[in-house]
């Protein structure tokens, strides 16, 4: 056992004494020590219930002959952090989460890990740690929130957090009263759990299952269902099997498994943030990951599920329809999945999907009747984004797949949001928000507020928004993020001036600033790097260490 280094032999009597001070018996100390990384807190709705799952995990570990050792992990709620300085800390927290899990596992000689995340950066942070440590590991996520019902339309479409964000724009444009907004606010988030659509948290939970690090059901069973608690108990039991057979993340998260995850990503229409996070996890796993893979896999993989924010369905619907295993099985019929990959079940993907079935063909379409012939994400290149930028193409209205218009340039999200809400953005405009990248932000803020305002004001069919920052998984519309290199690094987006024409062609994977090279070079000669926005604390260190978005915004060894 790896834990032998902290508990066996005469010289480890002091160590055992400390474990006994925690209440562990000799019998418990002799068993494998299984870390339980619990990210519970009482500020994130997706994490408020995680202690219940942690208790189930620990029961499963005990039943299977291990000893659970629980420790806490931080977690940021992106929704609560949205549109103020708090969002600068969200992506930055991912590296802290990975580091803190590594520290706890290494410092205490843990034999294996059960990781309990749920929301946006906690899932990839823990995946990064699992890949880095390469101890036997399994994930049990907190599960999705149920969707809400509109207070005035009980038989109408379901509502969710994005409905609230977009309702703000509706109020500002005179299409909704503040009293109606309050009713929507009260009804949109009816339970605990990760926000109910295919936003970033649920995207990453589904991809954790698809890549093989979670048991079937991990991505879709709602938070409030007893099946989620039972799955947690099974995960606690299963980690002992993975430990005995030494099935570690390096055996699960192979290049083929990442390709499987990307195929599922495209079929589901996941968040653009999955590009950042899968790239970061791949680097920790030592797996090559190139943005061109996104276009390659998206180009051949049909979009089978129309989930909120781009569609009407929610995670509870996907779960009822057969879940991720049913999606994988349908993709496997077309040869889009490598069925030989080993998973956290200790079985292959092919073995896992044998009994999976599509139970609602409207929620999970067949290969012969997809929502779109190509996948959910696209990476665009051009003189505005030489290293690429990302768009959720299945959430873009048809008329905005190709668009050209004048740049409206803002050097912060706050200035852009104010201009949108004050009615200064008009149909045809291309809103450019820069100096919000990993270094420039710092922290690469999500911009759900401005995109939701555009949608709520019914401008999402006329206005595009480009940024070196990023977007929430709840964003819809022509929202193109991760523009690389970022403005703070002197990327071309820093050279854009008010009124410049910008041409977007999503089907052709192109984005062009229609300014000649001579003019751009003249602008570059006048450009000066901005002064750091933050000079103290973690974000100051983060800005110095973080790399480019096209490489996952991970800490760079060069720094």
């Amino acid at each position: 056992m790896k834990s032998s280094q902290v508990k066996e032999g005469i010289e480890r009597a002091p160590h055992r004494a400390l474990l006994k001070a925690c209440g562990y018996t000799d019998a418990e100390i002799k068993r494998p020590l299984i870390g339980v990384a619990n990210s519970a807190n009482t500020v994130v709705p997706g994490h408020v219930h995680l202690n219940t799952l942690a208790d189930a995990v620990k029961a499963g570990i005990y039943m299977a002959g291990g000893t659970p050792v629980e420790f806490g992990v931080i977690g940021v709620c992106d929704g609560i952090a949205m549109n103020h300085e708090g969002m600068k800390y969200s992506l930055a927290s991912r590296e802290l989460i990975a580091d803190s899990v590594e520290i706890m596992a290494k410092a205490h000689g843990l034999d294996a890990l059960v990781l309990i995340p749920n929301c946006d950066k906690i899932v990839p942070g823990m995946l990064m740690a699992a890949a880095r440590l390469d101890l036997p590991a399994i994930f049990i996520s907190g599960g999705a929130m149920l969707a809400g019902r509109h207070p005035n339309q009980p038989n109408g479409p379901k509502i969710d957090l994005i409905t609230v964000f977009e309702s703000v724009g509706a109020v500002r444009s005179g299409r909704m009263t503040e009293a109606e907004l309050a009713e929507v606010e009260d009804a949109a988030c009816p339970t605990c759990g990760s926000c109910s659509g295919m936003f970033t948290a649920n995207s990453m939970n589904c991809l954790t299952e698809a890549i093989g690090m979670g048991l079937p059901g991990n991505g879709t069973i709602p938070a409030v269902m007893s099946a989620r608690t039972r799955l947690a108990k099974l995960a606690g039991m299963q980690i002992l099997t993975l430990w005995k057979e030494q099935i570690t993340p390096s055996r699960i998260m192979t290049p083929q498994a990442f390709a499987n995850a990307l195929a599922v990503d495209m079929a589901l229409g996941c968040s653009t943030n999955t590009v950042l996070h899968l790239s970061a996890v791949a680097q920790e796993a030592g797996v090559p990951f190139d943005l061109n893979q996104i276009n390659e896999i998206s180009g051949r993989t049909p979009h089978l599920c129309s989930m909120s924010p781009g569609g009407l369905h929610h995670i509870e619907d996907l779960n009822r329809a057969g879940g991720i295993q049913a999606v994988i099985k349908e993709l496997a019929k077309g040869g889009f999945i490598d069925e030989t990959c080993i998973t956290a079940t200790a079985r292959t993907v092919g073995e896992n999907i044998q009994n999976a079935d599509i139970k609602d063909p409207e929620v999970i379409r067949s290969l012969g009747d997809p929502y779109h012939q190509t996948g959910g994400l696209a990476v665009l290149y051009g003189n505005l984004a030489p290293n690429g930028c990302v768009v959720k193409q299945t959430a873009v209205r048809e008329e905005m797949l190709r668009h050209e218009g004048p740049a409206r340039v803002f050097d912060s999200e706050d200035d852009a949001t104010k201009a949108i809400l004050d009615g200064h953005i008009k149909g045809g405009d291309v809103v450019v928000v820069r100096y919000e990248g990993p270094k420039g932000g710092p922290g690469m803020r999500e911009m759900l507020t401005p995109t939701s305002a555009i949608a709520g004001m019914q401008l999402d069919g006329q206005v595009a928004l480009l940024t070196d920052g990023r977007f929430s998984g709840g964003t819809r519309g022509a929202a193109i993020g991760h523009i690389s290199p970022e403005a703070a690094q002197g990327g071309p987006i820093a050279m854009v001036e008010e009124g410049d024409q910008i041409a977007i062609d999503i089907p052709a994977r192109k984005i062009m600033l229609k300014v000649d090279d001579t003019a751009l070079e003249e602008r570059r000669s006048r450009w000066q790097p901005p002064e750091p926005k933050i000079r103290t604390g973690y974000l100051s260190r983060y800005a110095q260490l973080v790399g480019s978005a096209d490489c996952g915004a991970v800490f760079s060894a060069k720094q």
Side-chain angles (χ1 to χ4, degrees), residues 162-224:
I162 307 310
T163 313
V164 188
F165 271 97
E166 294 184 358
S167 294
V168 173
V171 170
R172 294 299 292 266
S173 63
R175 296 175 43 248
M176 180 182 283
T177 67
E178 289 189 38
E180 290 171 326
L181 171 60
E183 290 182 329
V184 172
E185 175 187 324
D186 287 344
C189 299
T191 73
C192 64
S194 48
C195 294
S196 56
M198 191 56 76
F199 315 142
T200 303
N202 288 323
S203 293
M204 289 307 302
N205 286 328
C206 289
L207 296 188
T208 298
E209 180 179 339
I211 208 168
M213 290 297 293
L215 295 176
N218 182 71
T220 60
I221 296 172
V224 294

Side-chain angles (χ1 to χ4, degrees), residues 421-496:
L421 292 175
D422 288 348
H424 298 316
I425 301 302
K426 308 300 181 185
D429 287 347
V430 178
V431 178
V432 177
V433 186
R434 63 191 180 190
Y435 297 106
E436 289 286 4
K439 285 184 176 293
M444 203 179 184
R445 287 194 286 182
E446 282 188 353
M447 299 186 192
L448 181 56
T449 299
T451 58
S452 295
I454 288 170
M457 299 168 81
Q458 297 188 327
L459 289 171
D460 55 312
Q462 305 169 60
V463 171
L465 198 157
L466 318 181
T467 183
D468 54 4
R470 61 196 177 90
F471 295 107
S472 163
T475 289
R476 63 186 176 96
I480 300 170
H482 309 191
I483 289 179
S484 300
E486 64 174 292
Q489 292 180 309
I493 190 173
M495 313 307 152
V496 180

Side-chain angles (χ1 to χ4, degrees), residues 113-323:
L113 289 170
V114 180
L115 301 120
I116 312 177
N118 207 26
C119 290
D120 295 30
K121 308 311 167 297
I122 300 89
V123 184
M126 288 187 176
L127 282 168
M128 291 166 68
R132 185 186 302 173
L133 290 163
D134 204 30
L135 293 171
I138 193 169
F139 279 67
I140 171 64
S141 299
M145 181 185 293
L146 297 181
R149 293 288 182 178
H150 198 291
N152 300 320
Q153 302 172 37
N155 297 318
K158 296 171 184 173
I159 63 173
D160 52 39
L161 181 66
I162 307 310
T163 313
V164 188
F165 271 97
E166 294 184 358
S167 294
V168 173
V171 170
R172 294 299 292 266
S173 63
R175 296 175 43 248
M176 180 182 283
T177 67
E178 289 189 38
E180 290 171 326
L181 171 60
E183 290 182 329
V184 172
E185 175 187 324
D186 287 344
C189 299
T191 73
C192 64
S194 48
C195 294
S196 56
M198 191 56 76
F199 315 142
T200 303
N202 288 323
S203 293
M204 289 307 302
N205 286 328
C206 289
L207 296 188
T208 298
E209 180 179 339
I211 208 168
M213 290 297 293
L215 295 176
N218 182 71
T220 60
I221 296 172
V224 294
M225 288 189 174
S226 60
R228 175 63 59 177
T229 305
R230 297 196 299 272
L231 191 70
K233 202 169 291 185
L234 291 172
M237 297 170 69
Q238 182 63 17
I239 191 60
L240 271 299
T241 299
L242 298 178
W243 174 73
K244 289 171 185 173
E245 299 186 20
Q246 281 301 294
I247 297 175
T248 62
S250 62
R251 291 182 60 189
I252 294 174
M253 291 195 285
T254 61
Q256 294 78 14
F258 275 92
N260 285 350
L262 282 172
V264 173
D265 190 331
M266 301 309 153
L268 295 176
C270 288
S271 164
T272 52
N273 285 313
T274 60
V275 177
L276 272 180
H277 299 324
L278 287 177
S279 176
V281 176
Q283 289 183 62
E284 295 286 359
V287 171
F289 191 96
D290 186 278
L291 287 186
N292 289 313
Q293 288 179 264
I294 307 293
N295 285 339
E296 178 188 341
I297 293 176
S298 181
R300 66 173 186 251
T301 308
H303 178 220
L304 303 181
C305 303
S306 184
M307 310 291 293
S308 176
L312 297 177
H313 299 133
H314 291 79
I315 300 299
E316 64 196 76
D317 303 310
L318 180 58
N319 185 64
R320 175 180 49 80

